[in-house]
Amino acid sequence: MVLVPSISMNEDPAEAADVAAARDTETQLSKFSQTLQHHQHEQQARVASSGNEEANAVDHEKAVGHTERSRWLTTAPEPPSAWREVVDYLRGIGLPSGSEFSSLNKKPVTQRVACVLKAIFPVLQWCRGYKATHFKNDLLSGLTLASLCIPQSIGYATLAKLDPQYGLYTSVVPPLIYAMMGTSKEIAIGPVAVVSMLISSMVTQIVDPGLEPVLYRNLVFTATFFAGVFQAVSGLLRLGFLVDFLSHAALVGFMAGAAVVIGFQQLKGLLGIAHFTNRTDVVSVLQSVWKSFHHDSWNPYNLLLGSAFLSFILITRFLGRRNRKFFCLAAISPLISVILATVLVFVTRADEHGVKIIKHIKGGLNPISAQQLQFSSPYIGEVIKVGLVIGAIALTEAMAVGRSFAAMKGYHLNGNKEMVALGVTNIIGSITSCYTATGSFSRTAVNFSAGCETPVSNIVMAITVLMALELFTRLLYYTPVAILASIILAALPGLIDLHEAYHIWKVDKMDFLACIGAFVGVLFVSVEIGLLIAVTVSFVKIILISIQPGIETLGRLPGTDTFCNVDQYPMAITIPGVMVVRVKSSLLCFANANFIKDRIMQSTGGEDEGERKMNDFQTTQLIILDLSNLMSIDTSGIASLEELHKNLVSHGVEMAIVNPKWQVTHKLRLAKWMSKIGGKAFLTIQDAIDACPNAKLASI
């Protein structure tokens, strides 16, 4: 408000005009202020009215959205039938998927053939970019690998109770075949300790190698053939998940037990014992050793020679790990041991003083053994069983080794192609005088450390071993058996992973049970029992996880629409009158349906007596069953839900379900259970709360 002085009679006319102008300005400002206030009030009224309309629109949209989303759930199309899934699976076997297959059909015949050949033989892909620098690294890696492979192959053949040359044969043909078909750049293919021990323990139960060595050898070749068939078919049918039933924990225990058993068996060569048990359990082996000591049928020179070179190999390996400069010395130390021990025995004529030697090793190329496969043998059923077990273990070990080193190099290993490659490798190996080959962890580690670039290192190794078969087998006549035992013993620590076993114990006690079960079974009973225990515990774990009966009460996390387990998140808020329950198992079936139903009734007081039962039901107005974990349901599960719904309705409690999976929804619709609960099926818990009037009022 502007204060204007009054006009005096004696004032100047000019001053009077100024005062009048000031009064006019004051009047105009007052009118503008009133008009502005009026417009502000109108704007606030319009905003309030608009806000109410928007709020009503949002409520209406939410209400419509709940109904619409519920309709999406209850009117979803039928899922693919089991027969359709089987047909689609079989149609996709061995063929590229999706766009790859359609694009392949559009190409000319020659390009299609080329694509198929590249898929079967990955060597056709990586050889196009092969460089001279790659060959330099692969040559060095292959030669280093051969220096370790030759003595190990001879030792593993004796472990499998075969003549030494068969271990060398297995280091020639299988690596060549794998280099053409395999996808791993680092894995070294050949005989390994665990498979050799499996062969000696299982095939000797069919035929005694001391009495019928030819039949024993032929049965080993036949078992190798069936192992290859199992591996190849598993890859073609994409059945790699079958191998995964031997879990990582079970494999750790099995490998450790096998390493201990192999180590005790090497006492035969290390002590120069002539008569030794064919059984693999520790008790039988120690009894055999004790009898040999008692009857003085062992030779101290064998122990002295083997222990000395075992110490040499272990010391060089220790130095190689501490200092990169000694890596080559550690890698070739087994070959150096063989050369030095052979020369020492030859010069001193130690074989005349009780030191056992290899004697004759047949040289030359791998002879064809197709005619020696025993398909019409009366033992064929047992041989097939041996082949399946050996094939599964060999495949598991190769996949574990290949994936480990592929992860280090940062590339993906195609599991199905690996299975096919190993299968074809062993099938061809069985008709070329080879026994079961797979990926060796110790030799693969050497190959990786030596800087291999491609599978050419396997080719270099195979050619080097072949040259040794052609030229140097006669020089190995005086090689002491104790050296082979020391080489095998030096390779065993890599099979025992105590750190991983402790890690399994800390993380998962059920997994540790599978680990220790496999270890004890192999160690004290037999290899087959150890495998059976491991697989059984793994299956039991899967079953318990799948049908584990139990429920958990959910609450809303503050400030969110997320519902979580109130025991895991104590800050979660439960809604009065509403009980949100989630089924913990992935399968609601005859094994757990009644238990889960009873647990839900107990949580609401439905199974208790007295006034608490009635009071609990009076306070609970809605039960929301979260089925998001449930992957499948059978008729027993549906029957238990029907009974649960009847019990709740009889006490005046509503029931709704949330987020059932496609197959579960389809089965509930077929059983007409959806209509029995009044279509109260929702996508989210919040939808269920908002759609039920009683629950909505309780949550306000």
Side-chain angles (χ1 to χ4, degrees), residues 36-70:
L36 182 61
Q37 291 177 1
H38 177 70
H39 283 300
Q40 287 178 345
H41 288 307
E42 288 183 350
Q43 181 68 22
Q44 290 175 356
R46 281 196 297 268
V47 169
S49 175
S50 175
N52 292 333
E53 291 177 359
E54 290 180 1
N56 293 333
V58 169
D59 288 341
H60 178 68
E61 182 181 351
K62 288 175 67 177
V64 173
H66 300 154
T67 305
E68 185 66 21
R69 286 193 290 271
S70 179

Side-chain angles (χ1 to χ4, degrees), residues 136-385:
K136 177 183 177 182
N137 294 332
D138 286 336
L139 178 63
L140 178 61
S141 300
L143 294 175
T144 306
L145 204 56
S147 66
L148 176 63
C149 175
I150 291 173
Q152 279 192 350
S153 298
I154 296 173
Y156 292 153
T158 59
L159 178 60
K161 293 183 170 55
L162 294 169
D163 293 334
Q165 65 267 18
Y166 293 105
L168 296 174
Y169 293 158
T170 308
S171 297
V172 175
V173 173
L176 292 175
I177 303 300
Y178 181 84
M180 302 295 110
M181 302 184 66
T183 59
S184 174
K185 301 175 183 178
E186 297 83 20
I187 195 168
I189 298 296
V192 297
V194 174
V195 173
S196 301
M197 188 268 293
L198 275 171
I199 289 174
S200 65
S201 64
M202 298 185 73
V203 181
T204 51
Q205 296 179 10
I206 304 173
V207 174
D208 190 338
L211 300 177
E212 299 179 274
V214 175
L215 179 58
Y216 175 84
R217 180 196 63 203
N218 294 343
L219 293 182
V220 170
F221 293 158
T222 308
T224 298
F225 175 83
F226 285 112
V229 169
F230 167 75
Q231 293 168 339
V233 170
S234 297
L236 291 173
L237 298 181
R238 300 178 182 178
L239 300 177
F241 64 90
L242 293 177
V243 179
D244 293 334
F245 278 116
L246 188 62
S247 65
H248 169 70
L251 189 62
V252 170
F254 174 79
M255 289 293 185
V260 175
V261 168
I262 292 169
F264 277 112
Q265 285 187 333
Q266 296 316 298
L267 293 176
K268 175 184 177 182
L270 200 62
L271 299 174
I273 299 174
H275 302 287
F276 205 73
T277 180
N278 288 329
R279 301 186 64 179
T280 59
D281 62 284
V282 171
V283 176
S284 299
V285 171
L286 290 179
Q287 286 178 347
S288 182
V289 172
W290 175 254
K291 290 179 181 178
S292 299
F293 274 111
H294 185 68
H295 295 93
D296 293 329
S297 59
W298 66 287
N299 189 286
Y301 295 114
N302 288 277
L303 178 61
L304 180 63
L305 193 63
S307 300
F309 283 101
L310 175 61
S311 301
F312 168 71
I313 295 172
L314 293 178
I315 291 172
T316 55
R317 182 175 297 173
F318 174 77
L319 294 175
R321 290 175 178 173
R322 296 292 297 270
N323 194 329
R324 177 73 181 177
K325 296 179 181 179
F326 295 103
F327 166 74
C328 289
L329 177 61
I332 65 174
S333 59
L335 184 60
I336 294 174
S337 300
V338 169
I339 295 173
L340 293 179
T342 303
V343 172
L344 182 63
V345 171
F346 176 75
V347 171
T348 61
R349 295 296 178 183
D351 57 309
E352 298 178 358
H353 299 281
V355 174
K356 294 186 177 299
I357 58 176
I358 295 177
K359 297 182 179 179
H360 179 67
I361 297 180
K362 184 179 179 181
L365 296 173
N366 294 37
I368 301 299
S369 56
Q371 300 295 327
Q372 300 174 18
L373 299 180
Q374 303 290 304
F375 295 125
S376 59
S377 171
Y379 308 112
I380 188 64
E382 298 174 74
V383 172
I384 291 176
K385 183 190 75 171

Side-chain angles (χ1 to χ4, degrees), residues 574-649:
T574 57
I575 300 174
V578 179
M579 177 174 290
V580 184
V581 177
R582 180 161 59 202
V583 179
K584 293 168 63 175
S585 64
S586 61
L587 178 63
L588 189 62
C589 62
F590 64 92
N592 62 1
N594 287 326
F595 183 86
I596 291 176
K597 180 203 68 176
D598 293 340
R599 287 291 301 274
I600 295 174
M601 294 300 296
Q602 288 174 7
S603 64
T604 60
E607 295 295 328
D608 296 334
E609 297 180 357
E611 294 184 359
R612 190 175 74 85
K613 170 180 175 181
M614 298 303 299
N615 291 336
D616 287 341
F617 272 110
Q618 289 172 0
T619 57
T620 303
Q621 300 175 2
L622 173 66
I623 295 288
I624 299 177
L625 200 58
D626 184 356
L627 303 181
S628 55
N629 288 339
L630 202 62
M631 302 303 296
S632 183
I633 187 172
D634 66 1
T635 54
S636 298
I638 296 174
S640 68
L641 289 180
E642 291 178 351
E643 186 177 351
L644 174 64
H645 179 246
K646 289 179 181 178
N647 291 338
L648 294 176
V649 169

Side-chain angles (χ1 to χ4, degrees), residues 5 26 215 308 316 320 328 334 340 369 433 477 504 535 542 651 667:
E26 177 187 359
L215 179 58
T316 55
C328 289
L340 293 179
S369 56
S433 299
Y477 183 90
I504 293 170
V535 174
I542 293 172
H651 292 86
K667 289 184 178 181

Side-chain angles (χ1 to χ4, degrees), residues 104 107 110-120 125:
L104 187 63
K107 294 181 179 180
T110 54
Q111 293 186 12
R112 274 186 270 176
V113 172
C115 289
V116 172
L117 289 176
K118 287 180 181 179
I120 298 175
Q125 294 181 359

